[in-house]
Amino acid sequence: MSSDLFSSSQVSTVIIPANEMEKQGEISSRLVLVLYPFQGHINPMLQLATIFHAKGYSITIVHPEFNSPNPSNHPLFTFISIPDNLLESNVSLAPADFMNLVSALNRNCAAPFMKCLKQILDEKHPHERISGVIYDGLMYFAQTVADALGLPGISMRPTAAALLLFSVIPHSEQEYVFESQIPELQPLELEQMLKSMSTNTTETMAEVRAAALDATKRSSGMIANTIEFLEHAALSRIREYSPAPVFAIGPFHKLAPSSSSSLLQEDGSCISWLDKQAPKSTIYVSFGSLASLSKKDIVEIAWGLVSSEQPFLWVIRPGLVHGSEGMELLPDGFLEKVGDKGLIVEWAPQQEVLAHEAVGGFWTHCGWNSTLESVSEGVPMLCTPCFGDQFLNMKYICYVWRIGLRVETELEREKIQGAIKTLMLNIQGEDIRNNAMEFKRETQLCLREGGSSCKSLDEFTDRILSV
Ligand code: UDP
């Protein structure tokens, strides 16, 4: 990961480590952070923990037993595992069962979290106070527990802030607001999303949405992993409606360098392979931690990559194709044909890959973390969203920010080859490549002292954590 933005002269708050404060007889502050146990949520929460630790806060991470992060990668934080009873709740981990999983976690974790937080309060050092409970927006039970114990609850949003429009604008006004009042956001087709949300609603979905909305209203504030300039129109509208202040302090991973929180082993060999490739020559291909592809998709991607004639780094994680390790699905003769021109790994150190000068394009499923990581490095994107908010993110990338191109879900090798060439080489892709570089520059400005994310972080600590 590039660390050029982190020189101490650019950190806007004086850092006094918590143990130093104790030595000086001052009260130190602890933050309790509650994780939602999936990669795309674990990463931003641990990055946020690193940001606050650098600001002098002690950190306790509370997480369900399922998909526990590895505490030894974060020796400065205290980790507490709480029982989640997911096995007994009989929920599947498939994206289609997402709402049942969220509902079960909130039902099962509330009581253990109350017990755990009371214990922390009972045991706490006389020179320490708990300044707040920061919870992933999907772990909304934490707000109820924080309220009961008189602690500020803060919701962390690891997705595009635009999704908050559905939470903060009263249901009766949503259609009107989305249709007529946010011209900058027209390409996001929020009305269409609203319609599909209301036609496909199950009882559990309605219950989860209502409980999450209720928690949001009671929270002392919301921290969004987004950047003011990326989502200015959505953020302004959210702030008009939201009772809780919203702080855009992303991209978290650039505000404080943090250790890896990957659940899978990262294959670092790809960095030395990238070192041998020409600047901006390589397309990086990864569809995140949950999306799945068909066997035919793998074959089409394989031949599409070969015929693009660009070097490629491709992540095929176990399970990318349901029930398979992945590599065995590659077509006969493919690896021989590729030779040194391509590399396939099971899991990559993605932030480092995207920051590498050899990478000139990212073919992504448009997960929000991947999107922000690519924006931060000025890497233009090919977009194949698979489910959920990935479609909204794709619309931001391709039609609002214009830093990417869509590749239709029905993957075909000729189209893949054409899309890679347009994105990385052809004159038709020049504006997209230039826009992406401009976004990198804008992002760097936001991270400097006085930049929007730094100011928002300072405002958050002053307004919410110092009370
Ligand atoms: N990631 C990684 N190595 C990989 C693929 C992904 O470290 O080979 C990380 C990536 O940097 C990002 C996270 O996994 O932080 C994926 O989150 P995202 O929101 O993009 O997608 P999700 O996995 O939640 O669908």
Side-chain angles (χ1 to χ4, degrees), residues 177-370:
V177 173
F178 294 159
E179 267 175 16
S180 59
Q181 290 194 3
I182 324 181
E184 302 93 317
L185 299 183
Q186 288 295 334
L188 297 185
E189 300 177 306
L190 295 167
E191 319 90 82
Q192 202 176 303
M193 254 181 104
L194 181 64
K195 276 187 200 124
S196 102
M197 274 161 72
S198 29
T199 42
N200 303 323
T201 302
T202 62
E203 211 175 295
T204 313
M205 261 182 213
E207 167 214 304
V208 166
R209 281 199 200 122
L213 171 60
D214 186 49
T216 301
K217 282 190 189 146
R218 285 180 287 123
S219 70
S220 302
M222 287 184 262
I223 296 179
N225 190 13
T226 190
I227 321 174
E228 196 66 43
F229 84 91
L230 284 182
E231 295 205 78
H232 183 67
L235 285 162
S236 312
R237 185 49 58 113
I238 290 160
R239 289 185 181 120
E240 263 174 54
Y241 283 92
S242 172
V246 182
F247 302 89
I249 66 171
F252 297 165
H253 73 288
K254 284 298 204 181
L255 215 47
S258 72
S259 326
S260 164
S261 45
S262 279
L263 296 166
L264 294 172
Q265 180 74 35
E266 290 171 353
D267 185 341
S269 68
C270 57
I271 301 299
S272 44
W273 180 85
L274 282 172
D275 290 342
K276 295 188 203 113
Q277 311 308 319
K280 293 202 185 301
S281 65
T282 304
I283 176 104
Y284 169 59
V285 185
S286 171
F287 299 97
S289 62
L290 295 170
S292 60
L293 298 176
S294 68
K295 290 180 190 168
K296 178 172 170 284
D297 291 337
I298 296 286
V299 174
E300 293 303 309
I301 293 174
W303 291 129
L305 288 171
V306 167
S307 50
S308 79
E309 296 175 333
Q310 294 300 116
F312 64 84
L313 170 60
W314 183 9
V315 176
I316 304 188
R317 58 157 224 279
L320 175 64
V321 174
H322 192 63
S324 143
E325 283 301 303
M327 301 286 270
E328 75 279 14
L329 302 173
L330 291 169
D332 289 343
F334 168 74
L335 290 174
E336 294 73 18
K337 179 125 195 155
V338 168
D340 291 342
K341 192 124 195 200
L343 183 68
I344 299 178
V345 293
E346 286 192 359
W347 195 250
Q350 181 164 300
Q351 291 166 19
E352 213 180 327
V353 166
L354 288 168
H356 198 288
E357 62 166 6
V359 173
F362 178 18
W363 185 4
T364 170
H365 69 308
C366 307
W368 185 245
N369 294 289
S370 295

Side-chain angles (χ1 to χ4, degrees), residues 280-285 287 300-313 360-364 380-383 405-407 412-429 432-433:
K280 293 202 185 301
S281 65
T282 304
I283 176 104
Y284 169 59
V285 185
F287 299 97
E300 293 303 309
I301 293 174
W303 291 129
L305 288 171
V306 167
S307 50
S308 79
E309 296 175 333
Q310 294 300 116
F312 64 84
L313 170 60
F362 178 18
W363 185 4
T364 170
M381 284 169 264
L382 289 184
C383 300
L405 283 175
R406 182 161 192 191
V407 181
E412 287 170 21
R413 60 193 80 178
E414 293 80 15
K415 286 190 186 156
I416 294 169
Q417 178 222 8
I420 294 174
K421 289 210 153 135
T422 304
L423 187 81
M424 299 178 65
L425 298 172
N426 295 349
I427 188 79
Q428 297 97 307
I432 289 176
R433 296 192 288 275

Side-chain angles (χ1 to χ4, degrees), residues 1-6 43 46-48 50-51 74 251-261 266 271 274 348-357 372-373 376-377 440 444 447:
M1 187 196 303
S2 107
S3 57
D4 47 345
L5 297 169
F6 306 122
N43 289 3
L46 289 174
Q47 290 154 7
L48 192 61
T50 307
I51 293 171
H74 309 275
F252 297 165
H253 73 288
K254 284 298 204 181
L255 215 47
S258 72
S259 326
S260 164
S261 45
E266 290 171 353
I271 301 299
L274 282 172
Q350 181 164 300
Q351 291 166 19
E352 213 180 327
V353 166
L354 288 168
H356 198 288
E357 62 166 6
L372 282 182
E373 289 160 13
S376 309
E377 304 302 342
K440 176 178 178 170
Q444 288 176 334
L447 293 161

